[in-house]
């Protein structure tokens, strides 16, 4: 399989993750049960790939600590994503997740002293400058603060949490670069499963719709990760990263507008366009 096809499939399945979350949100599925089924499928998928077969290394305690932290942040990110979808819609919420690449870039510059480029600086400025345009209503900095942010608070929290989660992968790559990727991901998904599994036994048992869409989410998660890893092995990051981000933004925006008939104000369209440019500039660095 060539790199272009792997990238196209990575975009498709990554977009599928966001769209499945939208389906769960609009269908009123119990989020905890839905996520538990998802993480069960993800964990089983990694076991099928041979995860946990690599013997623990000398830095296993640090790897497990980072994996446990990311597992918790994964659950928190999807919970915030669900809230952001309710507040601002699929298109804006997904774009905020992709735009959060600005945070690990800033972290890499400040903590690991990585060299930067003019493209990255412009992209970072643009990323933070366009955030107010993501609000469903104009941001008003009034004295009372009531409804001043137009529901964007959930989106900003998602932006922050997902960005910190992404940066943790950078920390792992810098501190323990020899870590087996499957073992690290197994630690992450097992933690997420342990956090959400008790939800399966709270209240009514999960219905067929919850199980079905949970399996769909887990399957798209596993396939998106699989094809993304294949893409990075065959294409340069300068091509793969911005193409993935833009592809997911375009597909989920089209789905939000055409399938779910989401309404956006002119400033939201400007946000989507500027965020797309910012993501490309940040990743080109």
């Amino acid at each position: 399989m060539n790199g272009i096809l792997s990238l196209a499939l990575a975009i498709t399945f990554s977009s599928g993750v966001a769209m499945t979350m939208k389906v769960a949100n609009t269908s009123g599925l119990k989020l905890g049960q839905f996520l538990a089924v998802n993480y069960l499928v993800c964990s089983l998928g990694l076991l099928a790939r041979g995860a946990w077969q690599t013997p623990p290394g000398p830095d296993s305690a640090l790897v497990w600590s980072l994996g446990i932290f990311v597992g918790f942040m994964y659950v928190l990110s999807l919970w915030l994503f669900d809230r952001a979808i309710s507040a601002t819609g699929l298109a804006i919420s997904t774009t905020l997740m992709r735009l959060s690449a600005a945070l690990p870039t800033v972290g890499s510059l400040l903590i690991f002293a990585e060299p930067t480029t003019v493209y990255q600086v412009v992209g970072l400025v643009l990323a933070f400058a366009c955030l107010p345009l993501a609000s469903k209503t104009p941001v008003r900095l009034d004295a009372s603060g009531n409804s001043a942010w137009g529901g964007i608070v959930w989106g900003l929290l998602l932006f922050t949490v997902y960005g910190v989660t992404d940066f943790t992968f950078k920390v792992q790559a810098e501190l323990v670069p020899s870590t087996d990727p499957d073992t690290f991901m197994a630690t992450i998904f097992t933690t997420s499963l342990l956090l959400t599994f008790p939800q399966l036994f709270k209240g009514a048992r999960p219905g067929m719709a919850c199980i079905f869409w949970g399996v769909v989410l887990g399957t798209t998660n596993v396939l998106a990760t699989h094809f993304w890893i294949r893409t990075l092995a065959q294409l340069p990051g300068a091509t793969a990263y911005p193409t993935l981000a833009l592809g997911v933004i375009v597909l989920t925006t089209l789905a939000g507008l055409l399938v779910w008939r989401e309404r956006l104000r002119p400033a939201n369209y400007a946000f989507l366009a500027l965020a797309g440019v910012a993501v490309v500039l940040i990743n080109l660095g």
Side-chain angles (χ1 to χ4, degrees), residues 29-99:
L29 300 182
K30 289 187 176 180
L31 184 63
Q33 295 180 343
F34 169 66
L35 294 182
V37 176
N38 156 64
Y39 288 124
L40 178 60
V41 172
C42 291
S43 298
L44 292 175
L46 283 169
L47 285 175
R49 284 171 55 89
W52 296 115
Q53 292 183 2
T54 304
D59 298 313
S60 57
L62 176 58
V63 174
W64 287 341
S65 297
L66 291 172
I68 291 170
F69 174 73
V70 174
F72 168 79
M73 295 294 277
Y74 264 23
V75 176
L76 180 58
S77 293
L78 287 184
W79 182 79
L80 289 171
F81 189 33
D82 179 71
R83 295 297 183 272
I85 288 174
S86 297
T88 62
L90 175 65
I92 293 176
S93 300
T94 305
T95 303
L96 283 167
M97 289 182 73
R98 293 295 164 180
L99 190 61

Side-chain angles (χ1 to χ4, degrees), residues 6 8 19 31 34 39 76 112 122 124 150 152 158 162 175 194 205 225 230-231 248 276 283:
S6 295
M19 294 178 198
L31 184 63
F34 169 66
Y39 288 124
L76 180 58
F112 297 110
V122 174
L124 290 172
I152 197 179
L158 173 65
Y162 197 77
L175 299 184
L194 291 175
R205 292 183 178 180
T225 302
R230 291 181 66 91
T231 297
V248 172
N283 286 295

Side-chain angles (χ1 to χ4, degrees), residues 117-276:
T117 66
V118 174
Y119 292 118
Q120 282 184 310
V121 173
V122 174
L124 290 172
V125 172
L126 189 59
F128 289 102
C130 73
L131 286 176
L133 299 177
S135 176
K136 295 293 286 186
T137 58
V139 175
R140 298 184 180 89
L141 302 178
D142 53 39
S144 64
N146 293 328
S147 301
W149 292 94
I152 197 179
V153 172
W154 292 115
L156 293 178
L157 288 173
L158 173 65
F159 172 86
T160 302
V161 170
Y162 197 77
V164 171
T165 304
D166 202 14
F167 180 62
T168 307
F169 283 93
K170 173 64 177 177
V171 173
Q172 176 267 317
E174 290 288 340
L175 299 184
V176 277
S178 61
T179 301
D180 177 63
D182 283 344
T183 301
F184 187 53
M185 292 305 298
T187 305
I188 293 170
F189 283 131
T190 300
T191 300
S192 299
L193 177 60
L194 291 175
L195 290 172
T196 56
F197 192 73
Q199 295 296 319
L200 293 174
F201 306 97
K202 286 189 176 182
R205 292 183 178 180
M208 290 303 299
C210 182
I211 295 174
F212 173 78
W213 288 110
V215 170
V216 170
L217 180 63
T219 303
T220 52
N221 254 321
V222 171
L223 291 175
T225 302
H226 171 75
F227 286 113
W228 180 235
I229 291 173
R230 291 181 66 91
T231 297
L232 291 177
Q234 299 174 32
L235 294 178
T239 299
Y241 280 102
T243 304
L244 175 72
L246 278 181
V248 172
I249 289 173
V250 170
L251 284 184
T252 54
T253 297
L254 289 175
L257 295 176
L258 300 178
V259 178
W260 285 283
R261 303 293 182 182
E262 292 181 354
R263 295 184 177 182
L264 302 176
R265 66 192 184 97
N268 296 150
Y269 287 105
F271 165 72
L272 294 173
L274 293 174

